[in-house]
Amino acid sequence: MINENTSCVFNGYQDLNEDAIVEHLSQMIRVKTIANRDQSLIDFAPFEEFRALLEKTYPLVHKNMERKIIAKASMLYRWPGNGKSDKKPILLMAHQDVVPVTPGTEQDWIHDAFEGKVVDGHVWGRGAIDIKNMLCAELEAMEYLMSKGFTPDRDIYLAFGHDEECGGSGAMAMAAYLKEQGVEIDFVLDEGGEPAHGEDYGASDILVASVSIFEKGFCDVHMIAKSAGGHSSQPKPGVPSAIAEVSKAVLAVEAAPLPASLPEPFEKFYRTMGPYLDDPKMREICSDLDNRKDELIKILEATPAGNATVRTTTAVTQAWGSPAPNILPQKAEINVNFRLNPGDTIESLVEHVRKAVDNPNIELVTYEEREASKVSPTDSAAFALIEETLKEFYPDIVVTPNGVFGGTDSRKYECVCENIYKFGPFFDISNYHDTMHATNERISIVDLVRGTRFMIRLVEKACS
């Protein structure tokens, strides 16, 4: 079977101190940088400890790069270019914060989640693949290049948000700062895509690098019904309860999914991947996608991941009723979470829901809404740079555009950049994806070091 270990041919930067990289990530994992949606509940002491650790670990970075602390704990670094080029700056991203361990699962970890244990060829712990590994690799790249006397021909920014897992207010503040300073970014690189074995995509004979060029939107719609309430021993005959009313509304919405289509990023994905797919019918359809797009959509609709590809999804996630079992609720509320594809907007979504419910007594209230991100181009010099660098490591890798179903901090930088790419150069993000936000998160030493080499090479090529 083809894999990254047998396929990697790049062997540059042999003097890279691999043991130091491993120890540095281990130390980062030991700092419990956990954010909270309620900023008043964040313990900022670990973030201060994390900053001090970085200062000690990367002395050249902190000598040669300007660092600004924004929104209490987010860090924005700038490495000034030498002025020999008129190229716009680049922005490399990661986030400091990690999710907590789910209470009651602590004993399920083979090694403590915040011990940063190095054993069995892996670095274990929370943040190993989400995403202190990328933060580590980016800083290692800067420190290494500085140690070699490298000076970029354009500015390099590093942006490390402190609350990506809780909404990304730090990233929003950093993006606003750059806009206020009149900074325009050539391209942004953040998490969201990764290299993987082809079987993950139904193409077992290849390696695939998925570079995401957009992310889906997000909207919680609360459906609310009200009634007089009262004691449960005397419900009013023939009068539906608030719970019954809002339940009917939810059933109506579930029965009326938003229309299916194939957004541009996913169409590009299947055009690229088509010739390599194991399924002969899928290969045939993708080879004639101009005429057989509806067939592909119908196939994709049958699976959860495929359905999320071709439509704005509908997911009923929470419900609230009366405070006690013997009280008829005066208000019943159900939350429906929607993830928006390009082409749907918050406004069109709410109108769709209103028509599906068809009940003026149901109130609709939206929460934490954001539109689908812009779609970044695949014909840019930045996309070509990512592909070219990948092929130095893996000459036969198939590089394909894709999209992100969830959310990242990178979308916040649309105000200063049109070329936003979501890609982390680590196979273990795919290999151990089930451990992300879960138990036994880890990254292999080989993958960590190789990802660091990729980051060095990318910066070297982009800024010289």
Side-chain angles (χ1 to χ4, degrees):
M1 181 187 73
I2 187 170
N3 62 66
E4 70 271 25
N5 295 321
T6 58
S7 301
C8 184
V9 300
F10 186 85
N11 60 0
Y13 320 121
Q14 287 299 308
D15 57 342
L16 198 61
N17 190 334
E18 298 182 7
D19 291 339
I21 296 171
V22 170
E23 177 58 23
H24 295 162
L25 178 59
S26 174
Q27 291 173 353
M28 291 180 192
I29 289 171
R30 293 172 209 161
V31 185
K32 295 183 180 181
T33 47
I34 299 173
N36 192 299
R37 288 189 181 277
D38 185 342
Q39 294 285 316
S40 68
L41 298 179
I42 296 178
D43 180 2
F44 284 101
F47 291 93
E48 294 171 4
E49 180 185 350
F50 194 71
R51 287 201 296 274
L53 172 64
L54 298 187
E55 291 167 9
K56 178 182 177 181
T57 305
Y58 303 105
L60 294 178
V61 166
H62 290 84
K63 176 183 178 181
N64 295 300
M65 296 186 81
E66 306 161 2
R67 186 181 70 181
K68 187 172 183 64
I69 308 303
I70 296 177
K72 292 188 178 180
S74 289
M75 296 183 285
L76 183 66
Y77 289 83
R78 173 179 172 259
W79 187 0
N82 58 20
K84 295 181 180 180
S85 167
D86 60 358
K87 294 187 292 188
K88 295 179 182 178
I90 67 171
L91 173 64
L92 307 179
M93 296 181 60
H95 56 86
Q96 307 166 62
D97 59 312
V98 298
V99 298
V101 173
T102 302
T105 68
E106 293 87 352
Q107 300 306 312
D108 297 334
W109 284 75
I110 297 172
H111 305 288
D112 185 272
F114 292 100
E115 186 180 358
K117 189 79 170 180
V118 181
V119 65
D120 298 330
H122 290 73
V123 185
W124 295 71
R126 183 62 86 222
I129 58 172
D130 187 20
I131 193 175
K132 286 182 175 177
N133 57 325
M134 192 147 172
L135 187 150
C136 178
E138 290 171 354
L139 287 171
E140 295 289 343
M142 301 300 108
E143 190 80 6
Y144 179 85
L145 288 168
M146 289 174 185
S147 74
K148 299 301 178 183
F150 178 84
T151 304
D153 67 353
R154 56 167 144 182
D155 289 0
I156 300 173
Y157 284 90
L158 305 177
F160 303 144
H162 74 278
D163 62 346
E164 189 271 351
E165 301 289 4
C166 302
S169 67
M172 285 187 276
M174 289 189 287
Y177 171 80
L178 290 173
K179 185 173 178 61
E180 289 168 6
Q181 299 301 308
V183 176
E184 294 183 8
I185 300 296
D186 180 18
F187 73 88
V188 167
L189 187 69
D190 191 20
E191 63 177 323
E194 65 276 332
H197 304 94
E199 58 262 31
D200 291 357
Y201 298 100
S204 56
D205 293 333
I206 60 171
L207 295 178
V208 178
S210 170
V211 181
S212 293
I213 59 174
F214 95 107
E215 59 189 60
K216 299 187 75 168
F218 182 105
C219 184
D220 284 326
V221 177
H222 284 214
M223 301 181 183
I224 304 168
K226 296 179 180 179
S227 66
H231 198 286
S232 64
S233 64
Q234 298 184 48
K236 295 181 180 179
V239 178
S241 68
I243 288 178
E245 285 284 88
V246 78
S247 296
K248 291 176 186 175
V250 166
L251 290 173
V253 169
E254 284 195 326
L258 281 92
S261 63
L262 191 63
E264 176 193 358
F266 298 126
E267 181 176 338
K268 288 182 175 180
F269 171 84
Y270 281 102
R271 289 187 186 278
T272 302
M273 289 295 296
Y276 308 100
L277 296 175
D278 297 330
D279 186 325
K281 183 177 180 181
M282 285 290 286
R283 284 202 307 272
E284 182 183 326
I285 290 173
C286 292
S287 68
D288 188 23
L289 206 49
D290 289 338
N291 299 309
R292 304 182 67 175
K293 195 178 298 183
D294 289 344
E295 286 184 67
L296 177 60
I297 291 172
K298 188 173 182 62
I299 291 171
L300 293 174
E301 284 181 296
T303 66
N307 187 57
T309 297
V310 298
R311 65 161 38 89
T312 292
T313 51
T314 303
V316 181
T317 56
Q318 293 174 293
W320 302 268
S322 70
N326 62 342
I327 300 174
L328 292 170
Q330 291 179 289
K331 182 172 80 169
E333 191 167 348
I334 294 181
N335 180 67
V336 187
N337 178 252
F338 297 89
R339 302 299 177 104
L340 285 77
N341 259 355
D344 291 323
T345 64
I346 303 296
E347 183 179 1
S348 67
L349 167 66
V350 173
E351 183 59 26
H352 172 89
V353 172
R354 199 179 306 281
K355 287 181 179 179
V357 171
D358 194 25
N359 183 347
N361 295 322
I362 298 295
E363 181 184 1
L364 303 179
V365 179
T366 60
Y367 289 86
E368 199 177 330
E369 58 188 64
R370 61 176 184 261
E371 306 286 0
S373 75
K374 296 177 182 176
V375 177
S376 295
T378 55
D379 59 355
S380 67
F383 191 93
L385 172 69
I386 296 169
E387 181 170 16
E388 181 181 298
T389 307
L390 274 164
K391 286 186 177 294
E392 288 189 20
F393 285 76
Y394 311 100
D396 298 323
I397 198 166
V398 176
V399 181
T400 178
N402 211 338
V404 176
F405 293 160
T408 71
D409 268 349
S410 62
R411 63 175 295 127
K412 277 83 171 181
Y413 293 87
E414 289 180 349
C415 60
V416 293
C417 184
E418 295 182 354
N419 304 314
I420 297 176
Y421 302 107
K422 306 160 202 299
F423 179 78
F426 306 97
F427 276 89
D428 282 348
I429 296 175
S430 173
N431 292 340
Y432 301 130
H433 188 269
D434 290 345
T435 70
M436 192 180 293
H437 290 204
T439 302
N440 293 323
E441 185 177 348
R442 60 197 183 276
I443 187 170
S444 69
I445 292 171
V446 170
D447 197 41
L448 174 63
V449 172
R450 192 176 293 152
T452 301
R453 284 197 167 96
F454 173 91
M455 203 63 68
I456 296 170
R457 185 62 177 148
L458 183 77
V459 172
E460 192 175 45
K461 289 168 68 70
C463 302
S464 63

